[in-house]
Amino acid sequence: MANFDEMAMLFAIDNIEENERAMNVRQIRRKETISDPFDTSDRLFIKNFRLTKDLVKYLIELLRPFIVSKSRLSAIDLDTKILVTLNFLATGSYQSPNGNSKFIVLSQPSVSRCISEVVEALNRPEIFDKWVKFPSNLNELTEIRNGFYRETGFPGVIGCIDCTHVAIVPPSNNLNLNENENPEYIYVNRKGYHSINVQLICDSKLRVLNVNALFPGSTHDTHIWNNSSVLPVMQELHRRNHHNFYLLGDSGYPLRQWLLTPITNPTTDPEKYYNQK
């Protein structure tokens, strides 16, 4: 019996060592088949990742404290996690082709985990609030307004507002799930597919000042705006007689002192010029 136990132990150890050798070989082959994206041209790099090489390197260092890298040999390094996420977000391609590209050779589950990990880090307040923020004082508002005027010739504007539908996989019909607080049909938008209706406000340089991604696809743009954290800010500005700050919106929004929209059926030259601008 003792001999059998010893043989079983030796077999187990041998099996573990064989698996480790196989894993090392796969890791080496994976490294040999991957092309370093930083060795490509700037044009091709931006095409695949939408950001410059320097900006991606900056992003890697920015996220390093928030993404724990495992110590085992087969662990995916931080650079790869960020690159696979950027490629997925930039191209909108499915995760399998993304993982099989010449830059990133990963399985679909690995790609999915990378994306979840990086997006979670990007959404941390320490990072997100640094890059996506609405002006917090009159000096910042004035600087953005002046920049908008220099770019467009339209006075008083601090940002443009609109909504866009981000397609999602149909959620479960089980309302008991923590991640699904609304019935499935509420996510179906007017075009017939499931989405989140995301409100964005940006300045003249296309920098995002505010994001509201709390509402399902069937929600009207106006309802999202009426529940936006920016609305009371604009109302308070005008209540304090700062009447020279506006947002620009399309005809789906109500005309207000702080929210300018196109004129329906313009007849005079000034009205037509206003709509054109």
Side-chain angles (χ1 to χ4, degrees):
M1 189 66 179
N3 290 337
F4 178 79
D5 290 341
E6 290 176 1
M7 290 178 63
M9 181 64 70
L10 289 172
F11 178 79
I13 293 174
D14 185 64
N15 191 44
I16 292 172
E17 292 177 345
E18 181 65 28
N19 287 337
E20 288 180 347
R21 284 193 295 270
M23 186 177 295
N24 291 341
V25 170
R26 287 196 298 270
Q27 189 73 2
I28 293 170
R29 287 176 178 173
R30 176 177 174 270
K31 290 180 179 179
E32 289 176 347
T33 57
I34 297 176
S35 300
D36 186 351
F38 289 101
D39 290 338
T40 64
S41 67
D42 292 341
R43 182 173 176 273
L44 182 59
F45 189 91
I46 293 174
K47 180 180 179 181
N48 279 281
F49 305 106
R50 291 297 189 271
L51 304 179
T52 64
K53 294 177 183 178
D54 287 341
L55 192 52
V56 171
K57 291 177 181 177
Y58 170 80
L59 182 62
I60 290 170
E61 295 308 313
L62 184 68
L63 296 184
R64 191 177 297 281
F66 305 104
I67 299 179
V68 179
S69 297
K70 296 181 175 61
S71 58
R72 68 176 188 270
L73 183 61
S74 60
I76 302 171
D77 61 276
L78 178 62
D79 293 27
T80 300
K81 290 179 179 180
I82 292 176
L83 287 169
V84 73
T85 301
L86 289 176
N87 189 228
F88 175 72
L89 296 175
T91 62
S93 64
Y94 289 103
Q95 295 176 15
S96 293
N98 186 296
N100 292 330
S101 73
K102 66 178 181 178
F103 299 128
I104 305 154
V105 182
L106 296 175
S107 66
Q108 189 277 330
S110 295
V111 172
S112 182
R113 286 192 294 270
C114 290
I115 293 171
S116 297
E117 206 172 342
V118 173
V119 169
E120 183 177 350
L122 287 170
N123 276 317
R124 293 179 66 96
E126 303 97 311
I127 295 176
F128 185 87
D129 293 345
K130 179 180 179 180
W131 296 101
V132 180
K133 56 182 180 179
F134 197 77
S136 57
N137 54 58
L138 286 176
N139 288 336
E140 291 179 358
L141 285 167
T142 301
E143 183 179 350
I144 292 178
R145 180 190 64 186
N146 293 345
F148 204 101
Y149 182 73
R150 287 193 298 268
E151 293 280 339
T152 68
F154 204 121
V157 177
I158 58 173
C160 295
I161 182 172
D162 203 358
C163 286
T164 184
H165 287 276
V166 178
I168 61 171
V169 175
S172 169
N173 288 319
N174 183 3
L175 293 180
N176 294 322
L177 297 176
N178 291 331
E179 66 271 18
N180 187 21
E181 300 177 358
N182 300 307
E184 171 270 333
Y185 65 85
I186 287 183
Y187 292 91
V188 180
N189 60 38
R190 65 182 184 276
K191 297 183 179 180
Y193 62 89
H194 296 79
S195 68
I196 300 292
N197 196 6
V198 181
Q199 177 184 278
L200 295 166
I201 300 175
C202 73
D203 65 10
S204 62
K205 298 184 181 298
L206 302 183
R207 294 178 298 192
V208 178
L209 305 178
N210 181 263
V211 178
N212 188 337
L214 300 176
F215 293 89
S218 64
T219 310
H220 194 276
D221 294 2
T222 301
H223 179 78
I224 299 175
W225 168 237
N226 288 337
N227 289 274
S228 169
S229 60
V230 176
L231 175 57
V233 174
M234 300 302 297
Q235 291 173 326
E236 182 64 17
L237 278 172
H238 282 256
R239 190 183 70 79
R240 297 191 179 192
N241 296 319
H242 297 296
H243 299 304
N244 53 344
F245 296 105
Y246 318 101
L247 292 177
L248 286 186
D250 61 22
S251 56
Y253 291 96
L255 176 64
R256 296 290 185 267
Q257 289 177 298
W258 49 83
L259 178 55
L260 304 180
T261 60
I263 296 174
T264 305
N265 301 319
T267 55
T268 66
D269 288 339
E271 289 177 345
K272 294 177 182 177
Y273 183 67
Y274 164 81
N275 273 11
Q276 179 186 355
K277 295 299 288 185

